[in-house]
Amino acid sequence: MSVSDLDPVPAVALLARPGAARERLREALAHADVQLVLEDDPMTLEPQALHDARAQFVVIALEAAIEDALERLEPALSAPGLTLVFDEAELAARRDGWEAQRWGRHLAAKLHGHQQVLPPGAEDEPALQLEPGLPSTPPVPKETALQTHLEQARSWADDVPADGLYSPPAHLHEPVALEQALAALQPVLPETAAPVQVAPEPPPVPAAAPSVFTDHTAWSLVDEASDAPAVASAATSTESAEPAFDTGHLSLVDLDAAAPAGSRSGALLVLAGIGGPDALRRLLAALPSGLAVPVLVHMRLDGGRYGNLVKQMARVSPLPVQLAEAGQRATAGEVHVLADDIGVHAAADGLYFQSEAQGISIAALSAEHSALVLLSGADLAHVGPALDLAAAGAWVAGQVGEGCYDPAAATAVVAAGMVAGEPQELAQVIAARWGLDDDGDAA
């Protein structure tokens, strides 16, 4: 019996413009064992028609041409109990062969709420993912099981050949340690030995006569005869010149400028990939309207359409969302979407974005004041730097749950002892640590 036989068939609506992307998504849904209750073009679809379809999931092929249509359908797409699954239309149109089958299995797992993403016939293969927790304790052997072997060894002990190089004296027992064996070879000294000369005790030191401190003004650590005039003259000059406290040049210290650079270089870095838009959407939607650190989002997109990602996340995020540009400063309480060629560097007054061919570097963040979240599809190459940052004091977490398409990187950090949870749960922890109240103070 397959996993899908245990759950009711989910109702799915497909929103995509006519074309290759729509055909590929329809084929994937046909193999996913779902009920396709609606298939339409979002440009002409009315919100009431989507509401009447009673779908549980909505699969959307994202492209720039349907952005206005999605805004128009926002009331129906925000209905409670409705789960959105996004896919890039350009990627869906090019997906074919093994890649299309792999993505279809992940889509079916998402729609049916299970973790079976292996090809048919491989369901019984052992899981290769690391799992958190201590290894199982091996069973402790019982004494009754060893008693037979102990008795047998004791009966054979007399038949074991002895060492011919050493024969212990007859009046001594076989030594059980090297020190005893060496001591047994030494000659026995006669019992009458010369008396040991005991050193005479030193005479007692007479106790010092108690000092009577009658005049403490006569104490001195220097030569009174040579330094007395100088001390007297210094005392006279001190009495004549009274100290004056000048209040005309007082000023307040700039606490922000005096703070260490690391406290202003902190950030919340979110890494995602396959299945990341849905997880990122849930994470940002659950964040508070104020944070003490900036939010940096890096999700690798094959099409490189980060402007579309900014618009999509701005609809659900209570924080402002913008595209990061080189030379711009990362602002606390704002979401900055990073392209593949944008990195960060720490300055005296905070984090600044810069052009980096390799993209974001986790080591550039201040560990003590930063947080790192690995969502679905995060790159495995980021696991090592993430754990190094955690060892230096950073807060690191990984996504778990049904919505995690590609859990390899997130599961690796969770197996290493980092925080685990759904995107909404991680957002609640972030709000408790770095959220701001109504007065702008840290929570």
Side-chain angles (χ1 to χ4, degrees):
M1 178 180 295
S2 63
V3 179
S4 59
D5 296 335
L6 303 178
D7 301 321
V9 178
V12 181
L14 174 59
L15 303 185
R17 297 178 64 194
R22 184 167 170 176
E23 298 293 335
R24 295 289 188 274
L25 292 176
R26 185 191 305 114
E27 294 174 0
L29 292 174
H31 292 86
D33 192 17
V34 299
Q35 180 185 2
L36 190 60
V37 297
L38 177 64
E39 178 182 347
D40 206 340
D41 186 352
M43 303 291 293
T44 59
L45 179 64
E46 294 298 330
Q48 187 61 35
L50 179 59
H51 180 269
D52 296 340
R54 303 296 181 183
Q56 299 171 279
F57 297 86
V58 178
V59 179
I60 303 175
L62 286 177
E63 53 182 323
I66 68 170
E67 291 182 2
D68 296 336
L70 292 180
E71 292 183 0
R72 181 173 51 83
L73 296 173
E74 182 67 25
L77 295 176
S78 302
L82 187 63
T83 302
L84 305 182
V85 180
F86 296 96
D87 189 20
E88 288 285 342
E90 183 179 355
L91 298 179
R94 297 199 310 260
R95 197 177 291 125
D96 195 8
W98 178 87
E99 184 180 2
Q101 296 176 8
R102 175 180 177 273
W103 190 90
R105 293 194 299 269
H106 281 276
L107 177 61
K110 170 70 176 180
L111 299 178
H112 287 278
H114 59 76
Q115 299 294 329
Q116 180 56 261
V117 295
L118 296 176
E123 291 84 357
D124 297 332
E125 294 183 3
L128 299 180
Q129 299 292 342
L130 298 177
E131 297 182 359
L134 296 175
S136 59
T137 305
V140 180
K142 299 181 179 179
E143 294 184 0
T144 56
L146 299 177
Q147 188 62 31
T148 303
H149 303 283
L150 294 176
E151 294 177 356
Q152 185 180 23
R154 189 179 300 109
S155 63
W156 290 351
D158 297 335
D159 298 335
V160 177
D163 189 357
L165 298 180
Y166 167 71
S167 298
H171 64 282
L172 294 178
H173 295 289
E174 176 69 21
V176 296
L178 178 61
E179 292 79 1
Q180 296 180 359
L182 296 177
L185 298 178
Q186 300 296 326
V188 180
L189 298 178
E191 296 182 358
T192 58
V196 179
Q197 298 293 333
V198 179
E201 297 183 358
V205 179
S211 301
V212 181
F213 300 102
T214 56
D215 185 9
H216 65 275
T217 59
W219 296 354
S220 174
L221 298 178
V222 296
D223 189 359
E224 296 181 358
S226 59
D227 294 344
V231 174
S233 60
T236 305
S237 61
T238 304
E239 294 177 359
S240 60
E242 297 181 357
F245 188 75
D246 186 7
T247 61
H249 298 84
L250 294 179
S251 62
L252 295 177
V253 178
D254 188 358
L255 297 179
D256 185 67
S263 62
R264 298 185 300 277
S265 301
L268 167 62
L269 176 59
V270 182
L271 303 174
I274 298 178
D278 181 55
L280 180 61
R281 171 179 171 271
R282 289 188 287 161
L283 176 71
L284 296 183
L287 289 178
S289 57
L291 282 180
V293 293
V295 181
L296 312 182
V297 175
H298 176 64
M299 185 173 66
R300 188 175 298 278
L301 300 177
D302 293 342
R305 297 182 178 179
Y306 293 97
N308 295 342
L309 181 63
V310 171
K311 294 179 182 180
Q312 294 295 329
M313 297 304 146
R315 297 190 181 101
V316 298
S317 174
L319 301 174
V321 184
Q322 58 180 311
L323 188 62
E325 299 179 359
Q328 178 188 8
R329 179 184 176 185
T331 305
E334 295 186 4
V335 180
H336 302 272
V337 177
L338 308 180
D340 294 340
D341 58 348
I342 293 296
V344 296
H345 73 279
D349 56 345
L351 283 176
Y352 281 84
F353 302 113
Q354 63 181 5
S355 298
E356 286 287 350
Q358 303 299 329
I360 182 67
S361 174
I362 297 177
L365 300 178
S366 172
E368 184 179 358
H369 304 280
S370 295
L372 182 61
V373 177
L374 282 77
L375 299 179
S376 174
D379 195 345
L380 276 172
H382 290 145
V383 173
L387 296 180
D388 293 340
L389 199 70
W395 182 84
V396 178
Q399 177 189 356
V400 296
E402 299 177 355
C404 198
Y405 278 113
D406 186 4
T411 305
V413 297
V414 171
M418 301 297 104
V419 181
E422 293 275 0
Q424 301 93 321
E425 298 172 347
L426 299 180
Q428 294 176 2
V429 179
I430 293 169
R433 291 173 63 98
W434 292 281
L436 300 178
D437 55 19
D438 297 336
D439 297 332
D441 299 327

